[in-house]
Amino acid sequence: MSLRWEQVVVDAIDPVALGQWWADVLGWTVVNDDPDAFEIQEKPDRLPGILFLPVGSAGSSSKNPLHLDFRPDDQQSEVERLIELGAQRIDVGQGNEVSWVVMADPEGNAFCVLSAPS
């Protein structure tokens, strides 16, 4: 038996807007523009993808059980670029002495920008 990472699923109040935001941030391609199942991939037919599903106007009522981690070539430049695109830094109790930056997308979904590869 084998498993393949297919996609990450993100609950969204507006799946199309949030999915398009992430497509712009990552430079990925929209592979399904259905408002009930908006999906992006790095390239068509290249997995994993990110699937955005509607959760209603109130959003998710609990903390995200899963988030995305990204490893950039230049952490500081990438954090600045993400802030310009609408992300924000958030505090989830990580403290000041960690090597990653915790951020949130425009709907409050947490993700981390890791330090550059060593």
Side-chain angles (χ1 to χ4, degrees), residues 35-62:
D36 290 326
F38 191 92
E39 186 173 4
I40 63 173
Q41 294 176 349
E42 183 178 6
K43 296 178 181 174
D45 300 321
R46 180 152 184 192
L47 299 175
I50 305 175
L51 178 65
F52 300 86
L53 300 177
V55 294
S57 61
S60 178
S61 62
S62 63

Side-chain angles (χ1 to χ4, degrees), residues 13-105:
I13 294 168
D14 185 342
V16 173
L18 189 60
Q20 188 61 61
W21 185 85
W22 275 107
D24 293 344
V25 164
L26 296 171
W28 283 19
T29 302
V30 174
V31 295
N32 184 6
D33 62 0
D34 183 329
D36 290 326
F38 191 92
E39 186 173 4
I40 63 173
Q41 294 176 349
E42 183 178 6
K43 296 178 181 174
D45 300 321
R46 180 152 184 192
L47 299 175
I50 305 175
L51 178 65
F52 300 86
L53 300 177
V55 294
S57 61
S60 178
S61 62
S62 63
K63 182 181 177 205
N64 293 353
L66 180 68
H67 70 270
L68 304 172
D69 287 343
F70 300 98
R71 188 169 305 277
D73 291 330
D74 180 336
Q75 183 186 53
Q76 183 177 347
S77 294
E78 192 61 25
V79 167
E80 290 171 7
R81 184 179 80 87
L82 292 166
I83 290 171
E84 288 175 11
L85 289 170
Q88 61 182 355
R89 288 177 177 255
I90 61 171
D91 183 352
V92 294
Q94 70 270 20
N96 295 326
E97 301 300 320
V98 297
S99 62
W100 62 88
V101 177
V102 182
M103 304 190 79
D105 69 19

